[in-house]
Amino acid sequence: MLKHDIQAMEVIHLGPEQINACMELNQLALNGLWSKQQWIQELIDSRSLCMGVLKSSTLLALACGWLVVDELHLTAIGVHPQHRRQGLARLLLSKLLEQGQRTGAIHATLEVARNNSAARGLYESCGFKTAGCRHHYYSNGQDALIQWLSLGKQAEPRQKI
Ligand SMILES: CC(C)(COP(=O)(O)OP(=O)(O)OC[C@H]1O[C@@H](n2cnc3c(N)ncnc32)[C@H](O)[C@@H]1OP(=O)(O)O)[C@@H](O)C(=O)NCCC(=O)NCCS
């Protein structure tokens, strides 16, 4: 079971009208990953796919990706700190992967810091495998682990629903 009341939540496509909510989660969950201008670009670009989990009109989680030929490149995923470990990221990621697959992706890929155990656990639970390493990729010297998922053989996410 999702620990949230699933009835009260909806997974939506994010557009420019959600810019303020995205900026809020950008600070709360993503450590200010992108500027407002970058978010606007992300939310309007037709190659980008951004989805979020709404509960009572509040954005609790967001995930974004880019379709590059037949690959879905995941660029961001974040969950409000007070709503973590309740299955929201897994729910959202599975919806984003489904949507990516519908729009032509046969693989999904992303990079994750070696020390980000929460995110690594999430990706592993959705079937991603580590396919390589970019040493000292991040500004703090952390390695980036390249994650790869074949959507044709996508493992069923271990849903709690
Ligand atoms: C990573 C993040 C998105 C996970 O969101 P979440 O909603 O808490 O994740 P879920 O509840 O869907 O968890 C799914 C699985 O991920 C793993 N996981 C999640 N949080 C974890 C943690 N703190 N420690 C270890 N594993 C964790 C578990 O395998 C979990 O499954 P389980 O609960 O059945 O054991 C969230 O911690 C976050 O927003 N972090 C900051 C932003 C970030 O690092 N984004 C990723 C950048 S690559």
Side-chain angles (χ1 to χ4, degrees):
M1 263 306 268
L2 271 174
K3 290 165 198 158
H4 269 279
D5 176 6
I6 189 96
Q7 307 287 2
M9 288 192 302
E10 51 177 336
V11 178
I12 59 161
H13 284 265
L14 298 173
E17 60 282 9
Q18 276 92 24
I19 181 65
N20 291 338
C22 290
M23 285 306 291
E24 205 172 317
L25 268 193
N26 184 56
Q27 293 309 321
L28 286 171
L30 296 171
N31 203 21
L33 177 69
W34 293 329
S35 67
K36 186 166 187 179
Q37 204 44 50
Q38 286 171 308
W39 270 107
I40 291 170
Q41 193 53 44
E42 197 75 19
L43 293 170
I44 61 174
D45 198 302
S46 59
R47 292 161 299 176
S48 155
L49 185 57
C50 287
M51 298 177 84
V53 178
L54 273 188
K55 186 180 181 186
S56 311
S57 308
T58 302
L59 188 65
L60 300 184
L62 57 76
C64 297
W66 278 69
L67 190 64
V68 181
V69 192
D70 58 2
E71 292 175 7
L72 180 65
H73 287 243
L74 294 158
T75 50
I77 183 163
V79 174
H80 190 293
Q82 287 169 14
H83 298 274
R84 288 185 184 165
R85 217 61 205 264
Q86 299 178 357
L88 293 186
R90 188 162 39 209
L91 170 73
L92 192 52
L93 185 52
S94 68
K95 297 286 180 197
L96 195 78
L97 293 172
E98 268 174 37
Q99 186 60 33
Q101 203 170 10
R102 270 201 289 274
T103 50
I106 56 172
H107 297 107
T109 185
L110 58 94
E111 281 137 6
V112 61
R114 189 186 285 282
N115 67 348
N116 192 344
S117 51
R120 287 182 63 186
L122 166 68
Y123 302 136
E124 191 186 348
S125 80
C126 289
F128 281 85
K129 303 279 182 227
T130 299
C133 173
R134 299 188 209 283
H135 293 283
H136 313 301
Y137 180 77
Y138 296 107
S139 53
N140 64 2
Q142 270 290 316
D143 296 342
L145 301 178
I146 301 163
Q147 304 289 295
W148 194 259
L149 174 70
S150 170
L151 294 173
K153 295 183 200 143
Q154 185 190 338
E156 273 298 304
R158 295 195 323 255
Q159 289 280 12
K160 287 183 171 176
I161 304 171

